[in-house]
Amino acid sequence: MVLFHYALVDDLISQEEFERRVEEKIEECGDLLDEPTAAMLVVGALGRQHVKVRELSGKSSLFSFFAKVIDKTKPKEFVRKDGEKGWVATILVGDETGTTRIVLWDEKAGAVLEIALGDVLEVIGRHPGKSTREIYALALRKATCEINCTATAGGNGSGLSTEPVDLDVLLIGADAPRTFTRRDGTNGEMTDCVIGDAAGTARLVAWAPDLLRDIPAGSVIHITGAKPDRRSEVRAYSIDETGTVSLSAAVVTVPFAELASVSDTGHYSVRGEIKTVQEPRSFTSRSGAASWVRNIRIGEGDEELKVVLWGENALVPVHPGDRIEIYHAAAKPGRFGGIELGVGRGSIFRVPHEETRRITFTGTIIPGNGCTFVDNGTDRYLVDGEFPAGCDMRITGVLSGSRIIPETVEPADKNPEEVAGRLAALVAQLDIPFPP
């Protein structure tokens, strides 16, 4: 048993020295400690502490933690590139702060046959490369402590199974369809979405965008054939033409996290009141494209949180005192200390009083710095997609706040009366006398 805990500090002291310190610790306490407890105290004195599941995304090369077994797979045989056979099994575990997957390789894979759902494990492991979603187990044993974990391997894809599932979820937001190239060289379309339910938010990739056509954000939908994506660092699903999407009468509520509970890792949904807001700043991305960034600070009660808005989110008009909602945003350590929430691609930034509605809008395409507007001389909206600058377009789609998500776009007929009206509106904005 001493060897189990020694694995946590084998880079610090010799095994003989570790065993000596464990014996000393037992003697100091008058034989009131058992060997595993004394070993844990020695490990702690050397600066290696057990962590919570949420802290497994840290930079440490080795982790030790306690967690409850939620789901498991049977050992599976596979063939390596060199032709040798191996075994692998996976255990889904969690505590009150989150869940993670433990991967057992070869001789360790057989351990799952002796592990039952609900067991509490003490685990020593490391991350595989840059992935923080999994832990490769170096050692594990059953523990007698209590773990408060509410996560379950339910039918919504929250376990380890990759079988398609049915979901009743809130469609929080969806990007405009975009084109991609398949491996065989043909083109297809896909749509990235953010969905949510009582378990939180998730990413949904629709490889058949027509499944979501005419379904506005804010709708509760029933999805059949959603495939869990176990390679994703976050909860994620995909659907294709074999699945279905329909409006649902189910009541779905997506929980918001308390601002004080946001750590420097993971994805969160929060809401609050804007306390401070800076002007958007333009910059050039690594790809050479122009984009925007904006810093705000939100508060709820006595708690505050720094938020960084990226891309089009930085151009949404907001002011101190506005209440906002943020969904599926990534947290990380701030550049100048503290924690900041990044709201970019894959996140949703919303001003709740701005309703989502269908719209048909005709205007002139005006390129901005990292964005595109459509302007009719009176109203101006952000518009998703790439369009020729200066052209008049008629856009039909969904208006969400100050942004139009297009469904159909066509050149607008140049109507002299309409052009004269728009010109008059523009002149009025510039406060220039209009010629008789």
Side-chain angles (χ1 to χ4, degrees), residues 201-280:
T201 55
R203 179 174 180 248
L204 173 69
V205 178
W207 298 106
D210 283 347
L211 291 174
L212 296 166
R213 193 139 348 242
D214 297 328
I215 299 180
S219 302
V220 175
I221 56 176
H222 179 72
I223 303 174
T224 66
K227 301 173 184 176
D229 183 358
R230 298 302 173 207
R231 297 172 299 175
S232 174
E233 291 291 313
V234 297
R235 183 180 166 208
Y237 304 90
S238 66
I239 53 173
D240 56 24
E241 61 278 354
T242 63
T244 65
V245 178
S246 58
L247 293 174
S248 170
V251 177
V252 176
T253 301
V254 180
F256 290 101
E258 298 291 336
L259 299 187
S261 70
V262 177
S263 70
D264 59 3
T265 59
H267 284 68
Y268 296 86
S269 298
V270 298
R271 60 184 172 186
E273 179 183 312
I274 294 181
K275 299 298 184 181
T276 62
V277 57
Q278 298 180 9
E279 289 299 314

Side-chain angles (χ1 to χ4, degrees), residues 172 201 254-263 266-273 296-300 303-309 323-331 339-343 348-352:
I172 300 172
T201 55
V254 180
F256 290 101
E258 298 291 336
L259 299 187
S261 70
V262 177
S263 70
H267 284 68
Y268 296 86
S269 298
V270 298
R271 60 184 172 186
E273 179 183 312
I296 66 174
R297 185 182 292 270
I298 65 173
E300 190 78 334
E303 301 296 332
E304 292 192 357
L305 180 66
K306 291 184 290 187
V307 177
V308 183
L309 305 175
R323 290 197 60 81
I324 56 93
E325 295 176 350
I326 296 170
Y327 296 90
H328 205 64
I339 299 170
E340 65 181 33
L341 208 57
V343 185
I348 302 297
F349 179 68
R350 177 174 297 162
V351 181

Side-chain angles (χ1 to χ4, degrees), residues 101-336:
R101 296 193 297 260
I102 300 173
V103 182
L104 305 171
W105 294 100
D106 299 324
E107 69 275 2
K108 293 185 179 66
V112 300
L113 300 177
E114 302 176 6
I115 295 173
L117 301 187
D119 283 349
V120 174
L121 304 178
E122 184 181 10
V123 184
I124 297 175
R126 60 176 177 81
H127 288 311
K130 296 182 179 180
S131 172
T132 60
R133 182 68 172 172
E134 296 179 336
I135 290 286
Y136 283 4
L138 303 179
L140 77 164
R141 70 184 183 99
K142 292 185 180 180
T144 56
C145 60
E146 292 291 329
I147 293 293
N148 180 21
C149 177
T150 58
T152 60
N156 64 347
S158 57
L160 293 172
S161 173
T162 57
E163 291 298 313
V165 296
D166 295 349
L167 303 171
D168 283 293
V169 294
L170 178 70
L171 179 62
I172 300 172
D175 289 343
R178 69 175 189 268
T179 302
F180 69 94
T181 302
R182 300 186 180 92
R183 292 181 180 179
D184 61 5
T186 60
N187 291 331
E189 277 194 326
M190 63 172 291
T191 296
D192 273 313
C193 309
V194 175
I195 57 175
D197 56 19
T201 55
R203 179 174 180 248
L204 173 69
V205 178
W207 298 106
D210 283 347
L211 291 174
L212 296 166
R213 193 139 348 242
D214 297 328
I215 299 180
S219 302
V220 175
I221 56 176
H222 179 72
I223 303 174
T224 66
K227 301 173 184 176
D229 183 358
R230 298 302 173 207
R231 297 172 299 175
S232 174
E233 291 291 313
V234 297
R235 183 180 166 208
Y237 304 90
S238 66
I239 53 173
D240 56 24
E241 61 278 354
T242 63
T244 65
V245 178
S246 58
L247 293 174
S248 170
V251 177
V252 176
T253 301
V254 180
F256 290 101
E258 298 291 336
L259 299 187
S261 70
V262 177
S263 70
D264 59 3
T265 59
H267 284 68
Y268 296 86
S269 298
V270 298
R271 60 184 172 186
E273 179 183 312
I274 294 181
K275 299 298 184 181
T276 62
V277 57
Q278 298 180 9
E279 289 299 314
R281 305 185 305 277
S282 62
F283 70 95
T284 302
S285 65
R286 294 179 181 178
S287 64
S291 190
W292 290 81
V293 62
R294 187 180 206 177
N295 295 85
I296 66 174
R297 185 182 292 270
I298 65 173
E300 190 78 334
D302 296 330
E303 301 296 332
E304 292 192 357
L305 180 66
K306 291 184 290 187
V307 177
V308 183
L309 305 175
W310 297 94
E312 292 182 358
N313 292 315
L315 301 175
V316 176
V318 290
H319 307 279
D322 288 349
R323 290 197 60 81
I324 56 93
E325 295 176 350
I326 296 170
Y327 296 90
H328 205 64
K332 68 174 185 178
R335 294 178 59 187
F336 304 104

